[in-house]
């Protein structure tokens, strides 16, 4: 099994290096094909490891080499494939393989085609390190790796100022959070003497609750940055500046899922500090409804899907915070399939509409993009949580967990969010594919994506449809590592009332979305309607003015302070002092240059002057000694 582990881990790395060889060359199709094949090899190896874990119940643990060994600190390059990590490996490799194949067509006209695949495969490799490492240090290496790769891919079209700005925002926001995570890792070592998961979690059982709370909070700060939880959430929507395959990968299999994985992997810690868990669940519920409300009015397809990711991450953290770690991981898996499908479908629409993202400028695209319409509709049904698709099973379990644990406020917020999710999901479906044709009058001539791109999306559609039925088998597998928590509503009447009521609520939201956005009088908003000028609309379209607050009260004061330090302290004091010393030395040299003129008469005069000075000093010293009594 060790060979399969290394193959699963390093195949994406080899693909990245291969594409990088052609990085500065014109488009070479093989630079996309070979990394895609190697991702398929990684997927096959991960599947073999999954079968091994399922059949034997045993984890695969290897130590490739020693990374650091000084004093009592021992950190190996060790990798662990257990029930949790193999789940993440399957999610990462399945989605990444599909995205790579899809991207061959999507990026086919981009002059930086080769460079794109080098970074994309490196992104997957970093995520594999993150989920397969057996210690916090290895996890942090992968954690920073996905941060660097996301920066390069979000800002892939660096000639666009908006892309470079978005890349820098994501990178800086995550560096702020990663400082918190790094402090948490230091505290783990300081208090347990190790960074190995098993040993550290075992030692934590004997630590003071205050220390555990501090560690848990700092580690969660790191998770907040990677998974874009409030208030470190603003980068996620802006990250849509990157190519659509990048968005699919970030939102479905890499980057944002890392924060959820960290909390799930650290379940033994968070189980000891339930108050921190309740905070995580409460924040998750808030983020779920917070992001969903912003998606209601947005006029950018990719941003709507991005807010959807943010909202679903809130669901995952709500489940993890309530102690339903396996439920959180199951929702992460199910969400990965339909969210990647949604993004890739959105990419098809973008290509068809010459990169236009406003759904109000579309309408009736279902006539020319029937396959994309079917796939995106299926993904939206799964996202909305309708039976029998995957989203129903995973989301329903989160609601059950909240209700069973008597956290009725969290339950109510998540239930309300389910209705909002259904509404905004089918809002964009109705605006894009149904209703009156609004795009022809604007000069657009849409077309369907390449057939192989559509075929690449089909596995995601199948998984989005059937993954929910794997719930009992997944539960039996994952409870070997995660707490065995099952949530049952004791009254059958209550359970069925809740389930059917939720389904009817979601269906009503879908009906309302279609009724509102399929009417023949839908026009491209121009800012003059009563709704667009309302306070609620402006509040939501401006993201509750949080980016404005950051800009006005954090960024601008920081920039002004930096300017003061630059001009008044650095330039005038620091540089002024250094330059002043240099000028004194230089001027002294200039003024005494005449001493070395080579003229014998002048040099004799200086010798006599020096002798007089020395004699004078000697006389003064002698008199001082004589009369001081020394």
């Amino acid at each position: 099994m060790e060979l399969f582990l290394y193959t699963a881990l390093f195949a994406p790395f080899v693909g990245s290096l291969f594409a990088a060889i052609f990085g500065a060359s014109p488009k070479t199709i093989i630079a996309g094909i070979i990394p895609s094949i190697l991702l398929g090899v990684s997927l096959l190896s991960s599947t073999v490891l999954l079968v091994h874990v399922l059949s034997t119940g045993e984890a695969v643990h290897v130590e490739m080499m020693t990374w650091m060994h000084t004093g009592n600190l021992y950190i190996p390059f060790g990798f662990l494939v257990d029930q949790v990590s193999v789940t993440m490996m399957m999610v990462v490799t399945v989605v990444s393989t599909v995205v790579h194949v899809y991207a061959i067509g999507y990026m086919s006209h981009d002059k930086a085609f080769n460079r794109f695949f080098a970074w994309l495969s490196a992104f997957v490799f970093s995520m594999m390190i993150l989920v397969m490492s057996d210690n916090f240090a290895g996890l942090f290496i992968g954690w920073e790796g996905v941060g660097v790769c996301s920066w390069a891919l979000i800002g892939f079209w660096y000639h666009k100022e908006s892309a470079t700005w978005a890349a820098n925002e994501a990178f800086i926001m995550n560096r702020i959070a990663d400082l918190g995570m790094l402090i948490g890792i230091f505290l783990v070592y300081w208090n347990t003497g190790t960074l190995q998961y098993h040993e550290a979690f075992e030692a934590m059982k004997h630590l003071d609750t205050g220390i555990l709370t501090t560690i848990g909070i700092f580690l969660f700060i790191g998770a907040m940055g990677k998974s874009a939880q409030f208030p470190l959430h603003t980068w996620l929507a802006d990250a849509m500046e990157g190519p659509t395959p990048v968005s699919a990968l970030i939102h479905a299999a890499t980057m944002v899922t890392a924060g959820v994985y960290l909390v799930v992997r650290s379940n033994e810690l968070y189980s000891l500090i339930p108050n921190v868990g309740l905070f995580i669940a409460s924040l998750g519920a808030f983020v779920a409804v917070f992001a969903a409300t912003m998606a209601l009015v947005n006029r950018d397809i990719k941003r709507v899907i991005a807010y959807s990711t943010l909202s679903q991450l809130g669901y995952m953290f709500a489940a993890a915070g309530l102690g339903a770690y396996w439920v959180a991981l199951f929702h992460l898996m199910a969400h990965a399939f339909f969210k990647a499908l949604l993004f890739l479908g959105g990419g098809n629409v973008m290509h068809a509409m010459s990169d236009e993202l406003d759904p109000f400028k579309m309408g009736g695209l279902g006539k020319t993009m029937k396959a994309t319409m079917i796939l995106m509709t299926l993904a939206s049904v799964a996202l909305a949580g309708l039976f029998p698709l995957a989203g129903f099973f995973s989301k329903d379990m989160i609601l059950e967990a909240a209700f069973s644990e008597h956290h009725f406020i969290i339950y109510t917020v998540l239930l309300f969010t389910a209705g909002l999710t259904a509404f905004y999901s089918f809002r964009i479906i109705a605006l894009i594919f149904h209703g009156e044709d609004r795009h022809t009058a604007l000069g657009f001539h849409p077309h369907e994506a390449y057939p192989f791109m559509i075929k690449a999306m089909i596995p995601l559609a199948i998984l989005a449809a059937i993954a929910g039925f794997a719930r009992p088998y997944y539960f039996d597998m994952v409870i070997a590592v995660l707490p065995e928590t099952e949530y049952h509503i004791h009254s059958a009447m209550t359970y069925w009332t809740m389930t059917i009521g939720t389904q009817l609520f979601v269906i009503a939201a879908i009906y309302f979305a279609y009724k509102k956005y399929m009417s023949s009088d839908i026009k491209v908003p121009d800012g003059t309607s009563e709704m667009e000028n309302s306070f609620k609309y402006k509040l939501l379209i401006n993201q509750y003015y949080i980016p404005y607050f950051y800009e006005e009260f954090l960024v601008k004061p920081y920039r002004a302070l930096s300017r003061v330090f630059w001009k008044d302290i650095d330039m005038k004091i620091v540089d002024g002092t250094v330059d002043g010393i240099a000028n004194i030395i230089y001027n002294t040299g200039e003024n005494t240059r005449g001493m070395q003129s080579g003229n014998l008469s002048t040099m004799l005069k200086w010798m006599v002057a020096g002798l007089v000075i020395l004699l004078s000093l000697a006389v003064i010293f002698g008199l001082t000694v004589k009369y001081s009594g020394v």
Side-chain angles (χ1 to χ4, degrees):
M1 288 299 112
E2 186 173 340
L3 177 61
F4 289 106
L5 185 150
Y6 287 135
T7 302
L9 175 62
F10 287 107
F13 180 61
V14 176
S16 175
L17 291 179
F18 181 85
I21 294 172
F22 304 94
S25 307
K27 177 195 168 184
T28 310
I29 191 67
I30 199 171
I33 293 175
I34 296 300
S36 301
I37 292 173
L38 288 170
L39 253 297
V41 171
S42 181
L43 170 58
L44 289 174
S45 299
S46 299
T47 304
V48 171
L49 291 166
L50 172 65
V51 172
H52 172 78
V53 171
L54 279 172
S55 59
T56 66
E58 298 177 357
V60 180
H61 191 190
V62 301
E63 185 176 312
M64 188 170 71
M65 64 180 74
T66 297
W67 175 33
M68 195 178 297
H69 193 182
T70 173
N72 294 325
L73 176 63
Y74 175 66
I75 305 175
F77 277 118
F79 302 98
L80 174 68
V81 177
D82 63 2
Q83 288 80 352
V84 172
S85 57
V86 79
T87 299
M88 292 297 297
M89 289 167 64
M90 290 301 298
V91 169
V92 172
T93 53
V94 167
V95 174
S96 299
T97 302
V98 169
V99 169
H100 271 67
V101 174
Y102 175 91
I104 293 173
Y106 189 89
M107 301 296 291
S108 59
H109 301 297
D110 198 292
K111 62 180 181 180
F113 180 90
N114 305 342
R115 175 168 60 89
F116 176 81
F117 278 93
W119 279 112
L120 199 66
S121 290
F123 200 12
V124 179
F125 172 61
S126 298
M127 190 65 187
M128 293 293 277
I129 291 177
L130 190 157
V131 301
M132 294 175 68
S133 290
D134 68 348
N135 61 81
F136 282 103
L139 178 143
F140 192 71
I141 292 172
W143 194 274
E144 294 305 298
V146 296
V148 171
C149 293
S150 67
W151 171 79
L153 289 166
I154 293 169
F156 182 76
W157 290 315
Y158 55 83
H159 55 276
K160 293 167 56 181
E161 185 179 352
S162 57
T164 56
W165 188 91
N168 290 337
E169 180 191 20
F171 191 79
I172 293 168
M173 193 75 79
N174 275 275
R175 296 294 71 70
I176 294 169
D178 290 355
L179 174 60
M181 181 181 175
L182 198 56
I183 293 172
I185 292 175
F186 285 152
L187 289 172
V188 169
Y189 177 73
W190 185 268
N191 289 281
T192 66
T194 180
L195 292 177
Q196 300 297 113
Y197 291 143
H198 177 71
E199 297 172 8
F201 293 138
E202 190 64 32
M204 286 178 188
K205 296 176 182 178
H206 309 290
L207 296 179
D208 180 73
T209 303
I211 294 172
L212 294 176
T213 300
T214 305
I215 293 172
I217 289 172
F218 276 111
L219 289 179
F220 182 63
I221 289 172
M224 287 170 65
K226 273 291 181 288
S227 295
Q229 295 297 283
F230 178 88
L232 304 175
H233 66 282
T234 55
W235 69 267
L236 190 61
D238 294 331
M240 296 303 96
E241 289 290 337
T244 299
V246 174
S247 302
L249 207 52
I250 287 176
H251 287 250
T254 61
M255 193 71 172
V256 298
T257 59
V260 179
Y261 172 77
L262 173 62
V263 174
V264 172
R265 174 56 75 186
S266 303
N267 68 89
E268 294 181 61
L269 164 63
Y270 288 103
S271 296
L272 297 171
I273 43 176
N275 288 338
V276 175
L278 181 58
F279 169 77
I280 292 173
S282 301
L283 180 64
F286 166 74
V287 170
V289 69
F290 171 72
T293 55
M294 292 188 288
L296 293 174
V297 300
N298 203 279
R299 289 176 51 185
D300 183 313
I301 297 171
K302 288 178 68 176
R303 281 180 175 265
V304 171
I305 303 174
Y307 287 131
S308 167
T309 299
L310 185 55
S311 182
Q312 296 307 304
L313 287 167
Y315 271 92
M316 296 174 208
F317 278 114
L322 293 174
Y325 300 103
W326 76 272
V327 176
L329 197 59
F330 188 73
H331 189 52
L332 184 155
M333 177 180 67
H335 171 265
F337 302 138
F338 56 73
K339 185 51 58 69
L341 185 60
L342 266 178
F343 266 113
L344 299 185
N348 290 350
V349 173
M350 281 183 65
H351 261 202
M353 294 290 293
S354 304
D355 292 335
E356 177 58 58
L357 287 165
D358 187 349
F360 283 93
K361 295 180 180 180
M362 301 175 189
L365 287 183
K367 299 172 185 176
T368 53
M369 302 183 70
K370 190 168 291 184
T372 298
M373 178 187 70
I374 292 171
L375 291 170
M376 285 191 72
T377 302
L378 185 145
S380 297
V381 171
L383 173 60
L386 281 177
F387 181 84
L389 274 67
F392 164 78
F393 293 95
S394 58
K395 203 177 285 187
D396 189 59
M397 287 189 296
I398 297 173
L399 291 171
E400 280 186 49
F403 191 88
S404 299
E405 292 294 308
H406 306 294
H407 293 292
F408 298 119
I409 295 177
I410 292 177
Y411 170 80
T412 303
V413 170
L414 294 179
L415 178 61
F416 178 63
T417 302
L420 297 180
T421 302
F423 178 84
Y424 68 67
S425 298
F426 283 89
R427 168 180 174 263
I428 61 171
I429 294 295
L431 286 170
I432 295 171
F433 297 110
H434 304 288
E436 296 293 321
D437 176 348
R438 297 180 297 278
H439 58 269
T440 302
L442 298 171
F444 293 107
H445 303 286
H447 55 84
E448 186 59 278
Y450 296 129
F452 82 88
M453 294 170 68
I454 296 294
K455 290 175 182 177
M457 296 165 64
I458 291 176
L460 293 176
I462 294 171
L463 288 168
I466 68 172
F469 294 103
R471 179 178 65 173
Y473 309 104
Y474 182 73
F475 174 76
D476 292 338
M477 178 188 80
V478 83
I479 59 170
V481 178
L482 299 178
E484 186 177 350
T485 50
E486 281 196 278
Y487 299 95
H488 299 291
I489 309 301
H490 297 299
S491 168
M493 178 66 73
T494 303
Y495 172 78
W496 285 110
T497 300
M498 287 170 52
T499 302
I500 295 173
T502 301
Q503 292 291 287
L504 292 175
F505 181 46
V506 168
I507 291 170
I510 294 172
Y511 170 77
F512 183 63
Y514 268 108
K515 184 176 181 181
K516 182 175 177 62
Y517 291 104
M518 281 185 62
S519 61
S520 59
D521 61 346
I522 289 289
K523 297 178 181 178
V524 180
D526 57 5
T528 60
S529 70
E530 183 178 344
M531 183 194 75
E532 290 174 286
N533 287 309
S534 68
F535 172 74
K536 291 180 182 178
Y537 180 87
K538 289 182 177 180
L539 186 67
L540 297 178
I541 202 67
N542 288 292
Q543 304 174 57
Y544 292 93
Y545 293 98
I546 292 173
Y548 173 82
F549 173 83
Y550 287 168
E551 179 68 24
E552 293 297 321
F553 297 101
L554 296 178
V555 176
K556 286 185 177 179
Y558 182 80
R559 188 183 294 127
L561 184 63
S562 300
R563 189 173 289 110
V564 169
F565 274 92
W566 167 44
K567 290 189 174 182
D568 296 336
I569 296 178
D570 190 40
M571 296 291 290
K572 292 181 180 180
I573 298 177
V574 178
D575 284 0
T577 301
V578 174
D579 292 343
I581 293 171
N583 289 332
I584 290 171
I585 295 173
Y586 178 80
N587 292 331
T588 302
E590 282 291 308
N591 295 330
T592 57
R593 182 181 295 175
M595 295 173 63
Q596 300 294 328
S597 64
N599 185 286
L600 182 60
S601 176
T602 302
M603 294 177 71
L604 286 171
K605 291 177 181 178
W606 281 111
M607 289 175 64
V608 171
L611 182 61
V612 169
I613 293 171
L614 287 174
L615 290 173
S616 300
L617 290 174
V619 170
I620 293 170
F621 178 74
L623 292 172
T624 303
V625 171
K626 179 180 179 180
Y627 291 104
S628 63
V630 178

